[in-house]
Amino acid sequence: MSTPPPSRLSSLRALKHRDFAFLWGGAALSNIGTWMEVLALGVYVTKVTGRAEWTGGVAALTWLPSILLSPLGGALGDRFDRRRAVGIGALVQMVLAGTLAALAFTGGLTVRWVAVISFLNGCAVTLFMPAFSALIAVSVPKEDLHSALSLNSAQANLGRICGPALAALLIAHTDIGWVLLLNTFSFGAVMLSLLGVRGAPAAVKPASTEGLWAGIARGFQVARADEALLMAMGGTLAIAVCIAPFTALAPVMAIRVFGQDAGATSMLVTAQGAGAFLAALSAGTLADWMGRGRLLEVSLLLIGPAAAAYWLSPSLGMATVAVLALGALYMLTLTGLATLCQARVSGELQARIASLNSMLLFVGFTVGVWSQGALADRLGVRPVMGGAAFGFLLFTVLLRTLRSRGFAAYET
């Protein structure tokens, strides 16, 4: 019996589910505001301090809380009403964004304030994002999970496309405060979208005898006992350390390497988002055609060379083309690894496993972006970042030798 050809629209299957469509739309609008703020603050810190170490360090503060809080966020997401948790998280982030806007309009914005609020925002994201990830996972049937996670990545990268361009335009003609104010209002989209969610279970009741800390421990035990989960999480950590810093250090590439300004930073961030967005729209079709495990394996093998090509590009135009490909591969690898993790466990454990995978991503990113920024100030941007990319390629070649014990499980 022949296998039917994959549908060109298979990547969009998850959007036919009402709850997912509401969640996707609200998050997409909010992420446009978030990426407006990311670009504005990255340019602000880079120009004020003139150091890649500060740019990377402030970005790292957003993810630093995940070292301690991710397992707690995952346990809470599996224990309590997920819709309410996501709403509380959006409200907290709205208050923090509003504080930044107020400081900018009153002339009180400093790098220290940016650092403090970035850290607090990281705490909110770490505690409440696992609930959103689990809500996404249960808003679609299992066969549409890859489509849902790919589209979730697409909306995040749609923010990368639109947000930086809007931020650069506003910075050029007004003030950074207006960028921060628009981000404040954007969190209202998440709150409104939650009102439309009806069918997805708000929470999965834990066993009555299982306490909060026991629930956290069980998440670690499940991850440790499953070899496929361990391989997926190891891949996430390696990407976070070696590759992911390119997402935060675009201002360094534009300003320090090419001697440009906010417009060039916007071009690089937007190109990355465009690559990821296009990859997300085609991920389902590619997975149907190649198989999810094979798609993940190929993406892992190509992302290191793509990152090296970006950091070693001799011109802004070539860097823009390279980061377009890098953004696509970054999306495909992280989505593939996240799908593997979510597909391996029951709904009762999805928030905890998502939080552990996110914890490794955030911890690795924190270490990678700060250390690469610091080394770049001393040894040069291109040698440090390019070296990290080649290091990841060596890791991937090693990981590929374990394929029979890891990626094969992805197809089941």
Side-chain angles (χ1 to χ4, degrees):
M1 183 175 178
S2 61
T3 302
S7 168
R8 292 182 181 179
L9 297 179
S10 59
S11 297
L12 307 180
R13 282 196 302 255
L15 286 173
K16 70 183 181 181
H17 303 287
R18 181 179 183 274
D19 288 342
F20 175 81
F22 270 97
L23 292 169
W24 189 91
L29 290 174
S30 178
N31 268 312
I32 291 174
T34 296
W35 279 100
M36 290 177 68
E37 179 180 284
V38 167
L39 179 126
L41 295 181
V43 170
Y44 172 80
V45 173
T46 301
K47 294 180 74 172
V48 169
T49 66
R51 293 179 63 85
E53 185 174 3
W54 271 99
T55 306
V58 170
L61 283 173
T62 304
W63 312 116
L64 185 62
S66 64
I67 296 174
L68 295 177
L69 297 182
S70 280
L72 177 59
L76 292 173
D78 280 335
R79 194 175 186 87
F80 299 111
D81 188 307
R82 290 167 179 167
R83 287 191 293 266
R84 184 173 299 175
V86 172
I88 293 172
L91 180 61
V92 172
Q93 289 180 276
M94 177 183 282
V95 171
L96 292 172
T99 302
L100 280 173
L103 288 168
F105 281 125
T106 58
L109 188 66
T110 64
V111 173
R112 287 188 178 183
W113 271 118
V114 172
V116 169
I117 294 178
S118 294
F119 178 80
L120 294 176
N121 189 59
C123 292
V125 170
T126 303
L127 286 174
F128 299 112
M129 187 55 69
F132 180 78
S133 298
L135 201 56
I136 286 288
V138 298
S139 67
V140 298
K142 189 172 182 178
E143 61 268 20
D144 289 339
L145 180 59
H146 191 271
S147 170
L149 294 183
S150 295
L151 286 170
N152 189 46
S153 178
Q155 60 83 11
N157 286 287
L158 182 63
R160 290 181 196 263
I161 298 171
C162 302
L166 290 172
L169 183 65
L170 284 173
I171 291 172
H173 293 90
T174 58
D175 183 79
I176 189 177
W178 291 103
V179 176
L180 301 175
L181 183 62
L182 285 176
N183 181 47
T184 302
F185 292 141
S186 74
F187 290 104
V190 176
M191 299 179 189
L192 289 175
S193 72
L194 293 172
L195 298 177
V197 175
R198 293 286 183 267
V204 180
K205 269 196 167 182
S208 58
T209 57
E210 184 178 70
L212 178 63
W213 299 112
I216 293 174
R218 189 152 74 94
F220 278 101
Q221 290 166 0
V222 169
R224 187 175 59 185
D226 190 313
E227 191 172 16
L229 280 177
L230 283 178
M231 286 189 66
M233 291 182 179
T236 297
L237 179 61
I239 289 175
V241 174
C242 299
I243 305 296
F246 86 98
T247 62
L249 296 177
V252 174
M253 187 69 160
I255 297 170
R256 289 272 304 277
V257 176
F258 294 122
Q260 303 289 322
D261 209 331
T265 303
S266 172
M267 182 184 300
L268 293 175
V269 177
T270 299
Q272 179 205 334
F277 183 73
L278 293 173
L281 294 182
S282 60
T285 302
L286 288 172
D288 290 343
W289 174 51
M290 299 174 61
R292 290 181 301 176
R294 181 63 177 167
L295 176 60
L296 176 58
E297 185 178 9
V298 170
S299 300
L300 283 166
L301 286 169
L302 291 179
I303 193 172
Y310 168 64
W311 288 114
L312 300 178
S313 295
S315 68
L316 179 62
M318 293 184 67
T320 302
V321 174
V323 84
L324 184 77
L326 179 56
L329 290 165
Y330 186 68
M331 176 271 149
L332 290 172
T333 50
L334 288 186
T335 299
L337 292 168
T339 304
L340 195 162
C341 291
Q342 291 287 285
R344 297 289 296 178
V345 297
S346 65
E348 178 194 354
L349 288 159
Q350 281 177 324
R352 273 169 282 186
I353 295 303
S355 73
L356 292 179
N357 192 53
S358 296
M359 178 183 71
L360 292 174
L361 177 63
F362 297 157
V363 170
F365 177 79
T366 301
V367 172
V369 76
W370 179 82
S371 61
Q372 289 187 40
L375 288 172
D377 285 333
R378 294 157 176 82
L379 303 176
V381 173
R382 295 186 190 276
V384 171
M385 312 306 184
F390 283 117
F392 180 79
L393 176 60
L394 293 177
F395 167 81
T396 306
V397 172
L398 175 62
L399 187 67
R400 190 177 185 277
T401 64
L402 304 177
R403 180 182 186 277
S404 61
R405 292 186 290 165
F407 291 123
Y410 193 24
E411 304 296 345
T412 61

